[in-house]
């Protein structure tokens, strides 16, 4: 199933940027939306948009449509999902066929400091998206959930059939709430919805609050890196290209009507193999050509010791993670040196 016009929210974010780029290259008509908040350096967000051909002076204006200078089929708007006037107007004007909602207030640890940001974006904003999809007969809504919904699940690998009733952070709770709200709209209004539980995504243009850039920055500057739970952690690190492939597969595979009359589905999307944190650090050290000084610390509140995705359900649709940690980290470091080190020397 292919869609003619697709709305991608969170378009200036890590995953949204990569998705907009590939969708545009495939010939889809893409409208990107982002509020460009200052949770992390906005210059990185504008740099991503620049890669998409979006001029910063145009992107900085709220509710103003900017057309890409690279992809004639790509436009961008700065807008808040919480805006109950502008968002429905956008849906009315554009007549989208499908929506990929990646906009959200991210970060487990930040949710301990600023909970209301998560309520505004992840709850209020998501309901606004659902309402727009309902009233404008959107063919398929794909949205970002998170592996964090599994909490301290002791059973591995994590399966979509596992209980997810015990989140250990507000961020995780908002993602679980998104799944519940999507189920309601699929059941009541026959809106086809697909939730994607992302597992530790990394790669070029990644978020600076995530471990790869935090580690790479500290190692490059000769500063010690913070290693939580004394290094006894593992993550299902998934390279960005695999994630984007999975999103597009899911986008083109809405659930057909089932016995329970539900158009709702949820998938894990990850590498399918956990990597220990210490192994990830060693791989990063090798690619950077430097050894990290490590400060071992206890587990942080809201964090979990391990994640591991059971991806068999998405595999049935054709998804397969193929990028190894060694190759993925190599590509990440290549980008990191070009963006952070070489650019800063100019």
């Amino acid at each position: 199933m292919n869609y003619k016009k697709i709305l991608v929210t969170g378009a200036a974010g890590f995953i949204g940027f990569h998705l907009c780029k590939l969708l545009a290259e495939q010939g889809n008509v893409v409208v990107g939306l982002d509020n460009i908040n200052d949770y992390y350096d906005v210059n990185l967000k504008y740099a991503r948009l620049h890669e998409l051909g979006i001029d910063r002076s145009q992107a900085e204006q709220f509710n103003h449509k900017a057309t890409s200078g690279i992809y004639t089929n790509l436009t961008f708007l700065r807008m808040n999902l919480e805006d109950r006037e502008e968002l429905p107007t956008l849906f009315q004007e554009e007549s989208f066929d499908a929506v990929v909602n990646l906009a959200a207030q991210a970060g487990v640890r930040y949710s301990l400091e600023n909970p209301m940001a998560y309520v505004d974006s992840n709850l209020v904003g998501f309901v606004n998206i659902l309402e727009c999809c309902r009233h404008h007969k959107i063919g398929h809504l794909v949205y970002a959930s998170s592996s964090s919904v599994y909490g301290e699940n002791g059973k591995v690998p994590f399966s979509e059939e596992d209980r997810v009733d015990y989140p250990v952070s507000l961020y995780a709770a908002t993602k679980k709430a998104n799944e519940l709200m999507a189920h309601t709209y699929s059941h009541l209004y026959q809106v086809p919805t697909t939730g994607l539980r992302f597992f530790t995504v990394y790669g070029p243009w990644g978020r600076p609050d995530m471990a790869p850039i935090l580690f790479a920055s500290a190692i490059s500057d000769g500063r010690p890196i913070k290693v939580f739970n004394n290094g006894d952690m593992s993550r299902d690190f998934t390279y960005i290209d695999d994630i984007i492939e999975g999103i597009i597969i899911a986008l083109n595979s809405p659930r057909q009507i089932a016995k329970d009359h539900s158009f709702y589905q949820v998938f894990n999307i990850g590498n399918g193999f956990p990597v220990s944190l210490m192994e990830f650090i060693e791989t990063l050290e090798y690619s950077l050509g430097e050894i990290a000084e490590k400060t071992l610390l206890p587990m942080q509140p809201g964090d979990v010791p391990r994640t591991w995705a059971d991806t068999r359900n998405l595999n049935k649709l054709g998804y397969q993670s193929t990028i190894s940690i060694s190759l993925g980290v190599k590509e990440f470091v290549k980008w990191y040196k070009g963006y952070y080190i070489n650019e800063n020397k100019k």
Side-chain angles (χ1 to χ4, degrees):
M1 184 177 294
N2 294 307
Y3 300 100
K4 295 179 181 178
K5 182 179 282 190
I6 304 166
L7 171 67
V8 178
T9 72
F14 174 30
I15 300 175
F17 152 70
H18 283 279
L19 181 62
C20 285
K21 187 173 187 294
L22 186 55
L23 286 174
E25 288 173 349
Q26 290 178 340
N28 301 282
V29 177
V30 181
V31 177
L33 182 153
D34 202 296
N35 69 352
I36 316 182
N37 68 28
D38 60 359
Y39 168 61
Y40 61 80
D41 183 15
V42 297
N43 291 314
L44 176 58
K45 298 181 180 183
Y46 285 117
R48 293 182 186 130
L49 291 175
H50 178 75
E51 289 289 306
L52 294 175
I54 302 296
D55 180 77
R56 178 166 182 164
S57 64
Q58 297 289 309
E60 286 178 331
Q61 303 175 48
F62 273 96
N63 308 320
H64 170 77
K65 186 181 292 185
T67 301
S68 168
I70 299 173
Y71 307 103
T72 57
N73 52 332
L74 172 66
T75 55
F76 173 81
L77 290 100
R78 188 178 186 186
M79 184 181 293
N80 287 305
L81 292 189
E82 307 95 288
D83 193 326
R84 292 194 210 174
E85 293 184 5
E86 293 294 337
L87 191 66
T89 299
L90 177 66
F91 272 74
Q92 180 68 41
E93 292 176 347
E94 296 291 344
S95 299
F96 300 115
D97 298 302
V99 175
V100 182
N101 183 57
L102 301 174
Q105 178 57 59
V108 170
R109 291 163 190 160
Y110 185 60
S111 67
L112 304 176
E113 304 170 20
N114 189 3
M116 295 313 296
Y118 293 77
V119 172
D120 293 340
S121 180
N122 302 10
L123 298 179
V124 175
F126 190 66
V127 171
N128 287 345
I129 285 287
L130 285 169
E131 276 289 281
C132 287
C133 289
R134 167 197 174 190
H135 290 293
H136 296 278
K137 308 300 180 186
I138 298 302
H140 192 192
L141 167 63
V142 176
Y143 61 95
S145 185
S146 168
S147 62
S148 66
V149 301
Y150 290 106
E152 296 178 331
N153 187 6
K155 170 186 163 294
V156 292
F158 299 166
S159 167
E160 294 94 341
E161 284 70 47
D162 294 343
R163 293 282 296 273
V164 289
D165 299 327
Y166 305 101
V168 295
S169 69
L170 179 64
Y171 170 74
T174 64
K175 290 300 185 178
K176 169 62 176 175
N178 287 171
E179 294 181 3
L180 292 171
M181 290 187 284
H183 183 278
T184 301
Y185 274 70
S186 289
H187 177 74
L188 289 177
Y189 310 116
Q190 292 74 56
V191 177
T193 64
T194 299
L196 296 175
R197 293 173 177 172
F198 293 119
F199 283 70
T200 315
V201 189
Y202 75 100
W205 297 101
R207 281 172 30 208
D209 62 317
M210 298 290 284
I213 292 184
L214 291 174
F215 288 165
S217 176
I219 294 170
S220 299
D221 294 343
R223 294 181 284 108
I225 62 173
K226 296 179 180 179
V227 182
F228 294 103
N229 204 35
N230 299 307
D232 184 17
M233 300 178 75
S234 61
R235 290 288 183 269
D236 197 317
F237 290 100
T238 314
Y239 190 66
I240 184 63
D241 289 3
D242 286 337
I243 289 290
I244 299 305
E245 177 202 357
I247 294 174
I248 290 177
I249 287 172
L251 178 63
N252 290 323
S253 306
R255 185 176 182 184
Q256 305 303 313
I257 193 163
K259 290 181 180 179
D260 61 355
H261 302 287
S262 173
F263 292 85
Y264 165 91
Q265 59 188 354
V266 171
F267 294 111
N268 287 334
I269 180 167
N271 187 45
F273 297 97
V275 173
S276 74
L277 182 59
M278 298 309 289
E279 179 183 345
F280 184 84
I281 292 171
E282 289 171 6
T283 306
L284 188 58
E285 289 173 326
Y286 179 80
S287 291
L288 286 167
E290 299 182 56
I291 301 299
E293 179 186 346
K294 304 170 186 69
T295 301
L296 301 181
L297 298 168
M299 181 76 82
Q300 285 218 316
D303 217 341
V304 296
R306 67 188 56 83
T307 63
W308 180 358
D310 180 342
T311 62
R312 286 177 294 179
N313 287 329
L314 194 56
N315 293 152
K316 293 175 184 176
L317 299 179
Y319 171 75
Q320 191 64 52
S321 177
T322 60
I323 308 298
S324 67
I325 277 288
S326 57
L327 177 58
V329 169
K330 180 181 178 181
E331 290 299 310
F332 161 73
V333 168
K334 180 181 176 181
W335 167 80
Y336 173 82
K337 287 182 174 179
Y339 181 80
Y340 281 101
I341 298 177
N342 295 341
E343 283 297 316
N344 290 337
K345 288 180 179 179
K346 293 180 181 179

